[in-house]
Amino acid sequence: MLFFNELELAGLLLSIILLFNLKSVRILPMKSGKTFEILIYISILVILSDFSLALLDHYARGRYNSTVVFLDTMFYIAVGFYFFFVRIFCSSLAYEKMGKYFRPGIITYIPMLVYLSLVVLNLFTGIIFKVTQYGYQRSGYYDYIVFPYFAFEIILGTYKVYWSRKMMPRRLSYSIYASSFLTLFALFYQIYIDSRTLLISGGIAFALMVVYVAYIESDNDNEIKTGSYNAHGFKRYMTEQIQRGCHYRVYFIQVEGYNALLSMLSREKIDNILGLIGRQLEKRNMNSFYLHSGLFAVVETDERKFDECIKNINTVIDGLGNYNREQIDISFRILTVSDDCGIEYSGEMLTVVNDVMDARDYDRKMFETISTDDVKASKKRQKLRRAIYRSLKTGGVKVYYQPIYDNHSEQIRSAEALARIYDKEMGIIYPDSFIPLFEQDGKILKLGKIVFENVCRFIRDNDMEALGLDYIEVNLSPVQCMQPSLPEELIEIADRYRVDLSYINFEITETANLTTERLLKLMTMLIEKGASFSVDDFGTGYSNIIRVSNLPFRIIKMDKSILWDYFKNKDEMVPRIYEIMRKRGFAMVTEGVETNEMHNWLKTEAKCQYEQGYLYSKPIDEKDFVEYLKQYRKKPA
């Protein structure tokens, strides 16, 4: 008897240690974690009541019977609650791993309510146990009520873990299997083999310890450098909050110009700044998460604390407005997401916030709330993203051709190859929608190869001279041009299709990221193979006359905005630009030609050689383009 009392004492100490350790460890405040904490509290209550009963039975048998009955009843109620919460813990954990929220239905409570009713009824009937002058005694229905209920709750909870085993970390699931076996063994031994050995309480404590070790290590939700939770933890936590339908506010805090700061400071110094932010947020007991690239999230689910949370965040960022050691100003963007904006899952929330944060025309006020319109717009963008990425795999990229008219020969002499994406659901998707996305994630390299291969196949399969074409214009994006291997790849594709590169004129839009040296090397390798080059969108952005003159461009392509603005407000500078570029030996192409008035001015006044625009044709697919050329050549001069 003394040995097992010591075992109970060890179990009590172990439960208390587990409780203090759980309080000191930073774990996500999710349902499974809260339930596990409840299990520890109940285990302490069970051990204390069991230990008290053992002492009374040993030292005061036959006396204080009413006290013993009360303590026994409390013991059975506590143990019943314990095993009920074991099932709730296992079910919550299983659902969490599957990205769902466990919401107990009425049927979940029925076994426990029946059991508790019988325990309370025992006070009047003695169907489970009774206390006499000879001490505690089991009644006839004991074997049919107590162990079956305990075993039912354990087995059902364990089955939930087994049910989600594919999503459950193996170590965690095995620890639950082991703890379930340990608990059932302790129950069976004390109930059916030796009722005077106090194994139940000690078994419960040791079973909790087995699960605790694996549970704490099963999910790495902590971000080391900031001390906040990480992005994985954010998705898990917000999935639960959204699915349980609670009111929440999520405050997204973005370190503005994060990439620029990286270029100015070392990674170590940036991590120190992020760590300082994370520690300050944690210091104020906020559920903070570090997501990526200087983006934090603070989640508050208590409506009474929304204003206090904003106040705390302002205190943190005000204190970090100047990082004194480096004398660098740090500014922030802060957006708020509420539960009523129509967001359906955590991943969507991050997508919406990133879309808004990355918008070129970002002009939000601090703590401005994401609207339902923002969510709808983001969903539309996501639908677009899925469509255009799918197109790269399914052959949805199409090449259209827009004719280019030659004022000297008064014929269509070339065409620009333009990418279009066709999706069964969304129809034709235009470059303004997909080019920025492809440039952001590098898919522009694959798109460029697809377009160039299509153009090479077109040249191979058609008699260019019979069609009256001198060359096809192919766009090269700045991202493509920054790839050192681009010239070799283009030459390899042309050789594979047996296409002379003299039939290709590459269009390049200049940017600050493209150095003169890089461009010159790229252009030289392709010019040596017969290709020529145009400056695309001249008159906008980074291009200038001096830089263009220092590179071997053959053609200057005037952006349509130059022509359109000129016809709205006649500006003597525009004709002067045409004159300068012509004197420097460049051929000129003007985009956006839509009227005969524009054509006449370009031909007679600006003396522009080439024109491109809807006056001649919109971009058309390959089949229609070939037919267009045939019909155009039949027109009388």
Side-chain angles (χ1 to χ4, degrees), residues 59-188:
Y59 294 110
R61 181 176 299 176
R63 294 178 289 169
Y64 313 113
N65 286 354
S66 59
T67 302
V68 173
V69 169
F70 173 77
L71 288 175
D72 265 315
T73 301
M74 292 301 299
F75 171 79
Y76 282 110
I77 289 175
V79 177
F81 270 114
Y82 176 85
F83 289 113
F84 170 74
F85 278 102
V86 165
R87 177 154 63 102
I88 297 299
F89 168 74
C90 291
S91 299
S92 300
L93 195 60
Y95 274 74
E96 280 177 20
K97 300 307 177 185
M98 294 187 295
K100 300 178 181 179
Y101 176 68
F102 175 64
R103 196 184 303 275
I106 295 176
I107 195 171
T108 305
Y109 297 94
I110 290 177
M112 180 192 67
L113 293 175
V114 171
Y115 168 80
L116 292 179
S117 299
L118 293 173
V119 171
V120 174
L121 190 62
N122 178 79
L123 294 171
F124 309 100
T125 62
I127 60 173
I128 299 177
F129 69 88
K130 62 180 75 173
V131 177
T132 66
Q133 59 182 339
Y134 302 106
Y136 171 87
Q137 295 179 351
R138 295 176 183 173
S139 299
Y141 290 98
Y142 182 94
D143 292 342
Y144 302 104
I145 297 174
V146 178
F147 182 78
Y149 171 70
F150 295 165
F152 169 80
E153 296 286 17
I154 292 175
I155 292 171
L156 193 58
T158 306
Y159 170 74
K160 287 292 186 181
V161 173
Y162 178 78
W163 172 60
S164 64
R165 64 191 180 280
K166 292 183 179 180
M167 307 297 293
M168 187 83 66
R170 184 173 296 180
R171 182 176 180 181
L172 180 57
S173 59
Y174 283 0
S175 72
I176 292 175
Y177 300 153
S179 66
S180 298
F181 174 79
L182 176 63
T183 306
L184 284 172
F185 172 79
L187 285 170
F188 186 83

Side-chain angles (χ1 to χ4, degrees), residues 78-332:
V79 177
F81 270 114
Y82 176 85
F83 289 113
F84 170 74
F85 278 102
V86 165
R87 177 154 63 102
I88 297 299
F89 168 74
C90 291
S91 299
S92 300
L93 195 60
Y95 274 74
E96 280 177 20
K97 300 307 177 185
M98 294 187 295
K100 300 178 181 179
Y101 176 68
F102 175 64
R103 196 184 303 275
I106 295 176
I107 195 171
T108 305
Y109 297 94
I110 290 177
M112 180 192 67
L113 293 175
V114 171
Y115 168 80
L116 292 179
S117 299
L118 293 173
V119 171
V120 174
L121 190 62
N122 178 79
L123 294 171
F124 309 100
T125 62
I127 60 173
I128 299 177
F129 69 88
K130 62 180 75 173
V131 177
T132 66
Q133 59 182 339
Y134 302 106
Y136 171 87
Q137 295 179 351
R138 295 176 183 173
S139 299
Y141 290 98
Y142 182 94
D143 292 342
Y144 302 104
I145 297 174
V146 178
F147 182 78
Y149 171 70
F150 295 165
F152 169 80
E153 296 286 17
I154 292 175
I155 292 171
L156 193 58
T158 306
Y159 170 74
K160 287 292 186 181
V161 173
Y162 178 78
W163 172 60
S164 64
R165 64 191 180 280
K166 292 183 179 180
M167 307 297 293
M168 187 83 66
R170 184 173 296 180
R171 182 176 180 181
L172 180 57
S173 59
Y174 283 0
S175 72
I176 292 175
Y177 300 153
S179 66
S180 298
F181 174 79
L182 176 63
T183 306
L184 284 172
F185 172 79
L187 285 170
F188 186 83
Y189 191 92
Q190 181 169 334
I191 292 174
Y192 294 114
I193 298 178
D194 186 355
S195 62
R196 298 191 62 79
T197 59
L198 306 181
L199 277 180
I200 292 179
S201 302
I204 285 175
F206 283 99
L208 282 176
M209 179 191 69
V210 171
V211 174
Y212 175 79
V213 174
Y215 177 64
I216 291 298
E217 297 179 357
S218 65
D219 286 300
N220 186 17
D221 293 320
N222 292 301
E223 210 280 328
I224 298 175
K225 66 187 174 190
T226 63
S228 301
Y229 300 118
N230 57 24
H232 175 260
F234 177 81
K235 290 180 179 179
R236 290 181 61 226
Y237 182 67
M238 286 312 303
T239 294
E240 180 170 295
Q241 307 316 309
I242 293 171
Q243 291 188 359
R244 77 186 184 96
C246 74
H247 293 295
Y248 63 79
R249 293 289 185 275
V250 185
Y251 305 98
F252 288 91
I253 309 167
Q254 174 69 64
V255 177
E256 197 165 11
Y258 177 78
N259 291 327
L261 284 175
L262 274 179
S263 64
M264 296 168 61
L265 304 174
S266 67
R267 170 66 67 175
E268 181 181 1
K269 290 175 181 176
I270 290 295
D271 288 347
N272 288 338
I273 294 172
L274 297 177
L276 185 60
I277 296 171
R279 288 191 298 274
Q280 290 298 316
L281 293 173
E282 183 184 3
K283 182 179 178 180
R284 289 161 176 80
N285 297 318
M286 291 187 282
N287 285 331
S288 63
F289 302 80
Y290 181 68
L291 305 176
H292 62 83
S293 305
L295 180 63
F296 287 84
V298 174
V299 183
E300 182 56 68
T301 57
D302 188 343
E303 295 180 67
R304 297 167 298 179
K305 295 183 178 180
F306 288 165
D307 291 339
E308 179 184 347
C309 191
I310 292 174
K311 181 179 179 181
N312 285 333
I313 292 172
N314 275 322
T315 301
V316 171
I317 65 174
D318 287 346
L320 292 166
N322 183 273
Y323 186 53
N324 291 323
R325 253 184 293 173
E326 300 294 334
Q327 292 297 309
I328 291 177
D329 290 332
I330 301 175
S331 57
F332 299 87

Side-chain angles (χ1 to χ4, degrees), residues 555-572:
I555 298 173
I556 302 297
K557 201 164 191 181
M558 299 293 287
D559 186 74
K560 61 186 179 183
S561 63
I562 303 295
L563 179 65
W564 291 357
D565 288 346
Y566 176 76
F567 273 84
K568 289 179 182 177
N569 181 24
K570 299 297 176 68
D571 184 348
E572 62 181 17

Side-chain angles (χ1 to χ4, degrees), residues 360-426:
R360 294 180 181 178
D361 58 348
Y362 184 92
D363 60 352
R364 306 290 178 115
K365 297 178 181 178
M366 297 284 267
F367 295 98
E368 184 171 332
T369 302
I370 294 288
S371 67
T372 54
D373 288 339
D374 292 324
V375 177
K376 290 177 182 177
S378 182
K379 286 182 177 180
K380 186 176 180 180
R381 282 191 289 270
Q382 286 305 302
K383 185 178 180 181
L384 176 64
R385 287 188 181 104
R386 288 191 293 269
I388 63 179
Y389 291 143
R390 185 168 56 241
S391 70
L392 292 178
K393 299 179 181 179
T394 60
V397 176
K398 306 296 181 184
V399 176
Y400 279 44
Y401 296 87
Q402 186 170 30
I404 296 177
Y405 180 80
D406 182 356
N407 276 320
H408 291 175
S409 64
E410 297 185 345
Q411 294 290 329
I412 300 297
R413 303 303 297 175
S414 60
E416 180 180 1
L418 298 164
R420 299 289 187 268
I421 287 177
Y422 176 76
D423 181 71
K424 291 182 179 180
E425 186 178 346
M426 300 190 68

